[in-house]
């Protein structure tokens, strides 16, 4: 099946710093979503981005589908950005399910 | 904004007991999913459901698990005889159609098996 690799696995930042999280995937996909898992365990959908670039406040994401990767940018990080960020891809073909990466655990220190 | 609703938010049960986790998907969605996340690990696919039948299930989804859509709104996951290793967060998700590829997730149900 499709492989989803996220890097780095852990990231520690000082408040105000910028960061880039990466997601590589091994096959063509119909969909790519970025999620933030908050301290209560909820999966918050950040972006639906099968290709191109989107921005939402301090967050932006870019997916280059032909090269099979996506990037999540966090600018001017805040302590509330802490948590785990997951990339998930929807496979093409008969099996239409989201496959998750292992996540990047982000810690933003004050 | 429409939401996927899950109940209970947290359930504690004894090993060997049956557990039913409930989900109310978004009303015009047709595809339904259950995922599981053991503490500290990644989110894993359990089962997908469409047109009142299972579309696909993972190897995790053994005979102890079952899903049901008993009426027009609820989508349930039943674990017949819980084991310690079933302790996890269980997420329900729904999707509108095969052409609409965004999955919307519920807030999760945390299951603790003692």
């Amino acid at each position: 099946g499709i492989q989803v690799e996220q890097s780095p696995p852990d990231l520690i930042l000082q408040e105000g710093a910028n960061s880039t999280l990466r997601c590589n995937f091994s096959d063509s996909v119909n969909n790519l979503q970025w999620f933030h898992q908050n301290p209560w365990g909820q999966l918050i959908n950040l972006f639906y981005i099968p290709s191109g670039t989107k921005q939402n406040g301090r967050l932006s994401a870019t997916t280059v589908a032909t090269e099979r990767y996506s990037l999540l940018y966090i600018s001017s990080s805040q302590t509330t950005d802490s948590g785990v960020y997951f990339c998930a891809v929807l496979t093409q073909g008969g099996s239409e399910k989201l496959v998750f990466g292992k996540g990047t655990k982000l810690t933003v220190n004050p | 904004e429409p939401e996927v609703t899950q109940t209970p938010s947290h359930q504690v049960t004894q090993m060997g007991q049956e557990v039913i986790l409930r989900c109310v998907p978004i009303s015009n969605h047709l595809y339904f999913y259950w995922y599981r996340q053991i503490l500290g690990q990644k989110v894993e696919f359990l089962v997908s459901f469409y047109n009142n039948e299972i579309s696909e299930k993972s190897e995790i989804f053994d005979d102890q698990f079952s899903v049901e859509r008993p009426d027009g709104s609820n989508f349930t996951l039943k674990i017949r005889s819980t084991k310690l290793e079933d302790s996890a967060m269980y997420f329900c998700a729904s999707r509108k159609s095969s052409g609409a590829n965004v999955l919307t997730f519920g807030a999760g149900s945390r299951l603790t098996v003692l």
Side-chain angles (χ1 to χ4, degrees):
Chain A
I2 193 167
Q3 303 297 311
V4 182
E5 302 289 335
Q6 290 188 244
S7 59
D10 294 279
L11 186 58
I12 301 174
L13 300 173
Q14 287 300 122
E15 202 167 22
N18 303 328
S19 62
T20 301
L21 282 58
R22 187 177 179 101
C23 173
N24 293 331
F25 43 96
S26 61
D27 205 347
S28 299
V29 297
N30 277 336
N31 168 25
L32 188 144
Q33 291 180 245
W34 281 98
F35 295 90
H36 175 219
Q37 187 163 41
N38 65 21
W40 296 272
Q42 296 173 337
L43 288 171
I44 309 300
N45 184 63
L46 297 175
F47 293 104
Y48 162 66
I49 186 164
S51 63
T53 297
K54 288 186 178 179
Q55 181 151 9
N56 184 2
R58 294 181 297 103
L59 302 181
S60 64
T62 295
T63 297
V64 184
T66 52
E67 297 186 22
R68 298 179 184 170
Y69 73 89
S70 182
L71 302 173
L72 177 69
Y73 305 96
I74 305 174
S75 64
S76 303
S77 57
Q78 300 175 358
T79 56
T80 52
D81 294 331
S82 296
V84 182
Y85 290 80
F86 289 102
C87 163
V89 299
L90 191 77
T91 55
Q92 288 187 339
S95 168
E96 293 191 333
K97 63 179 185 284
L98 272 184
V99 176
F100 282 75
K102 291 184 177 181
T104 292
K105 183 178 180 183
L106 175 66
T107 303
V108 181
N109 292 320
Chain B
E1 189 170 328
E3 290 183 342
V4 174
T5 305
Q6 289 188 240
T7 55
S9 57
H10 188 193
Q11 182 160 354
V12 180
T13 191
Q14 295 291 324
M15 192 169 53
Q17 295 297 303
E18 176 183 283
V19 162
I20 297 176
L21 304 178
R22 292 182 168 81
C23 171
V24 179
I26 294 172
S27 62
N28 61 348
H29 284 195
L30 301 177
Y31 294 78
F32 313 114
Y33 303 82
W34 283 102
Y35 283 78
R36 179 184 84 174
Q37 184 185 30
I38 294 171
L39 186 64
Q41 299 186 20
K42 72 175 186 179
V43 181
E44 301 173 290
F45 168 77
L46 288 179
V47 65
S48 58
F49 192 87
Y50 170 70
N51 200 25
N52 283 320
E53 60 183 24
I54 291 174
S55 307
E56 184 180 351
K57 57 184 181 180
S58 71
E59 58 186 25
I60 303 169
F61 194 89
D62 62 21
D63 291 345
Q64 291 299 310
F65 291 89
S66 63
V67 289
E68 194 176 36
R69 188 160 162 82
D71 53 40
S73 60
N74 289 287
F75 178 52
T76 61
L77 174 69
K78 181 192 288 186
I79 309 174
R80 287 191 184 80
S81 177
T82 49
K83 308 183 185 84
L84 295 177
E85 54 265 35
D86 293 327
S87 294
M89 180 77 100
Y90 289 82
F91 293 102
C92 174
S94 69
R95 181 160 68 96
K96 188 172 185 179
S97 67
S98 62
N101 294 320
V102 178
L103 267 74
T104 302
F105 281 76
S109 292
R110 185 173 298 282
L111 176 64
T112 302
V113 182
L114 302 177

